[in-house]
Amino acid sequence: MIAIIDYGINNLDSVENALDKLGAPSIVTNDATTIQSADVLILPGVGAACEGMKNLKKLNLDKVIISEVNKGKPILGICLGMQLLLSKSEEGDVDCLDLIKGSVNKFDSKNKIPQIGWNNVSFNDANRASNLKAGIPNNSYFYFVHSYYCIPTDANISLGITSYGLDYCSIFAKNNIVGVQFHPEKSGAVGFQLLKNVINYFN
Amino acid sequence: MLTKRIIPCLDMTEGKVVKGIQFVNFRDAGDPVELAKKYDDQGADELVFLDITATVDNRNILLDVVKRTAKEVTIPFTVGGGIRTKKDMQLVLRAGADKVGVNTGAFKRPSLISECAQSFGTQCVVLSLDAKRIGNQWNVIINGGQTDTGMPAIEWAQRAVKLGAGEILLTSIDADGMRQGFDIALTKAVTKVVNVPIIASGGAGKLADFKDIFIEGKADAALAASLFHFGELTIKDVKKYLTDHNILVRS
């Protein structure tokens, strides 16, 4: 069972709909026991990092997530959910879950902010989580909506790189932790393939 | 690189897609969910649904369409029409929309934009701005094209972005349904003063119009309705043309 973590500010149904189509059983939940008994966690998210962390803390889910992931439970962070996996975010200057060392910075204002639309992801062949790329052509387009981007301290965990004024990490994978900056559940066929790959990778 | 987006727009009333000319003379264009699926298959980058009558009765029909669409399509979609409160926006987002368009409700009570941006993020809040040329400027028109507010479109665009609008859906009422091309001057004027993506809307009639609105109008996305609904052009035709003219699109 995949637990899609509901912390109040998300469009959760689209992730659930996508998993339904893939035939992967999932539940939208903010209940600690359900999260603890799930096989895989998905931390989705749109909105602001400070609001997101505030809501996770209010529900006491920050500690639950950290403890489960540290025990080895797989987690996929999507968009804001990816950013919250890092140590801290510039958005509201907030401490995040610190499951991946690194920070989250704002795009330079010489770009339009937010970045909204389809951008391509080029794969970093050095990353060993290569089964995440199965069936996805290099430089495929995914749907992005964000103003901030992740800078993992260990650049080797980057699996996908995207360019928007600068090159940044759009997919990272480190053992049981995967983060994607785009919305795979809104990225057509390649997005569904990626979700499928993540589920396979975690199994 | 970020691509330019092609967005079919589905104007709806009572659960049916309709299309008018300059916001009047509507004709039936079919079932919204079926059309949405078709456009997704054709390679549309996003979809926009506008509930053009937006009565209380229509609201539940709209939410039902949103729910069914969310189950069927694999690309993002925006829903607008009759959004007046944060609660309205929440219902539409909960039903599965990715972004919500605000228009008259936000003009009458601008704090709607900041409230929604704070709760759901600026990327969810699309300012839907209907503009009409009055003398030597463009004015904001509300109430579905009926009321000239007297406020310059440029001023409202800037203010709405400051309040937290993350994108602007800019419709030229003069160009709407006329198929004589997008309003390049209006689009250029707005893109110049704000730093959020602009979706240009109204007037698409032929392939070259899309190239012009991206190159001359500096739009980030182009929206069209009747052209696609009545099958004169497909999304694929437009994207092939743009690719042939060195404009980056998702193919």
Side-chain angles (χ1 to χ4, degrees):
Chain A
M1 177 67 74
I2 299 172
I4 302 167
I5 298 169
D6 177 4
Y7 55 116
I9 56 170
N10 307 295
N11 178 358
L12 306 151
D13 298 6
S14 56
V15 177
E16 200 186 14
N17 283 334
L19 293 175
D20 280 352
K21 278 185 201 153
L22 292 173
S26 67
I27 183 167
V28 173
T29 184
N30 62 12
D31 172 60
T33 319
T34 311
I35 291 170
Q36 280 156 346
S37 62
D39 305 307
V40 171
L41 308 180
I42 292 185
L43 189 62
V46 292
C50 38
E51 281 283 310
M53 279 312 296
K54 200 170 77 191
N55 289 3
L56 280 178
K57 282 186 173 154
K58 205 158 63 191
L59 294 160
N60 246 324
L61 293 181
D62 54 331
K63 292 191 188 73
V64 177
I65 296 169
I66 291 168
S67 128
E68 289 301 306
V69 174
N70 281 338
K71 279 190 271 180
K73 184 167 289 181
I75 188 166
L76 168 67
I78 298 175
C79 195
L80 175 66
M82 173 200 204
Q83 298 177 1
L84 295 183
L85 298 174
L86 268 62
S87 312
K88 60 180 176 15
S89 173
E90 242 183 38
E91 188 175 17
D93 195 22
V94 66
D95 285 335
C96 300
L97 297 170
D98 197 27
L99 290 163
I100 294 283
K101 296 290 168 207
S103 59
V104 180
N105 285 12
K106 192 168 190 175
F107 282 125
D108 189 294
S109 61
K110 69 176 191 286
N111 304 297
K112 291 201 175 189
I113 297 176
Q115 169 179 223
I116 296 183
W118 297 79
N119 203 333
N120 56 336
V121 172
S122 64
F123 291 125
N124 166 19
D125 291 327
N127 190 298
R128 282 176 302 167
S130 58
N131 43 354
L132 284 172
K133 304 183 289 190
I136 301 173
N138 195 20
N139 289 314
S140 288
Y141 286 104
F142 292 88
Y143 188 81
F144 290 82
V145 184
H146 62 128
S147 305
Y148 292 77
Y149 63 98
C150 293
I151 312 169
T153 309
D154 176 5
N156 291 324
I157 71 166
S158 287
L159 176 68
I161 305 290
T162 295
S163 179
Y164 192 63
L166 79 176
D167 289 347
Y168 67 94
C169 170
S170 50
I171 309 177
F172 59 62
K174 188 187 177 192
N175 305 322
N176 57 329
I177 304 173
V178 176
V180 293
Q181 183 59 67
F182 48 83
H183 287 274
E185 76 282 9
K186 288 286 167 180
S187 295
V190 287
F192 278 72
Q193 182 64 44
L194 185 109
L195 277 176
K196 210 158 116 185
N197 292 352
V198 172
I199 294 166
N200 290 340
Y201 171 79
F202 284 156
N203 277 334
Chain B
M1 289 278 288
L2 189 68
T3 64
K4 299 291 187 184
R5 288 170 281 156
I6 303 298
I7 306 177
C9 178
L10 297 90
D11 288 332
M12 285 182 15
T13 182
E14 287 162 12
K16 284 211 150 136
V17 178
V18 292
K19 182 55 207 163
I21 295 171
Q22 294 189 318
F23 288 30
V24 289
N25 295 327
F26 290 98
R27 73 189 240 219
D28 191 340
D31 176 63
V33 184
E34 284 303 310
L35 269 177
K37 247 172 82 175
K38 186 179 98 182
Y39 292 138
D40 184 1
D41 291 342
Q42 282 186 4
D45 295 308
E46 276 181 42
L47 300 167
V48 169
F49 289 88
L50 293 177
D51 183 356
I52 55 171
T53 36
T55 60
V56 176
D57 283 351
N58 277 354
R59 181 45 44 98
N60 289 326
I61 301 173
L62 176 72
L63 289 175
D64 179 59
V65 169
V66 173
K67 272 187 201 143
R68 288 192 293 131
T69 304
K71 286 206 192 307
E72 295 290 342
V73 306
T74 62
I75 53 172
F77 65 98
T78 301
V79 175
I83 304 293
R84 290 188 167 75
T85 64
K86 199 172 107 177
K87 180 84 191 159
D88 292 338
M89 187 178 271
Q90 194 176 23
L91 284 174
V92 173
L93 288 172
R94 268 317 305 203
D98 300 280
K99 303 187 253 186
V100 181
V102 293
N103 190 328
T104 304
F107 189 87
K108 289 187 174 160
R109 191 172 66 82
S111 61
L112 176 66
I113 296 175
S114 42
E115 284 166 19
C116 292
Q118 253 159 39
S119 296
F120 312 116
T122 56
Q123 79 293 329
C124 282
V125 186
V126 180
L127 175 73
S128 184
L129 196 170
D130 298 332
K132 190 173 172 57
R133 188 181 267 280
I134 308 283
N136 58 1
Q137 66 174 33
W138 294 274
N139 282 2
V140 179
I141 311 293
I142 57 167
N143 294 326
Q146 290 174 25
T147 313
D148 179 0
T149 63
M151 183 188 279
I154 284 170
E155 204 178 304
W156 175 227
Q158 285 174 301
R159 185 157 171 229
V161 168
K162 270 202 195 98
L163 287 166
E167 196 169 22
I168 296 176
L169 166 53
L170 180 64
T171 300
S172 161
I173 294 182
D174 305 296
D176 181 63
M178 302 299 280
R179 307 198 183 187
Q180 298 294 311
F182 291 96
D183 192 332
I184 290 171
L186 166 68
T187 310
K188 211 156 92 182
V190 176
T191 48
K192 224 173 15 199
V193 296
V194 295
N195 194 34
V196 299
I198 306 290
I199 305 166
S201 153
K206 58 183 186 304
L207 289 167
D209 295 338
F210 290 90
K211 170 172 64 90
D212 295 344
I213 196 61
F214 289 134
I215 291 179
E216 292 171 44
K218 311 275 183 219
D220 300 280
L223 179 143
S226 44
L227 203 58
F228 296 137
H229 298 338
F230 301 120
E232 280 133 89
L233 286 178
T234 64
I235 309 280
K236 276 205 175 76
D237 296 333
V238 175
K239 288 197 164 181
K240 179 170 185 310
Y241 176 86
L242 291 171
T243 304
D244 290 345
H245 288 80
N246 295 318
I247 294 169
L248 193 62
V249 289
R250 175 179 75 115
S251 47

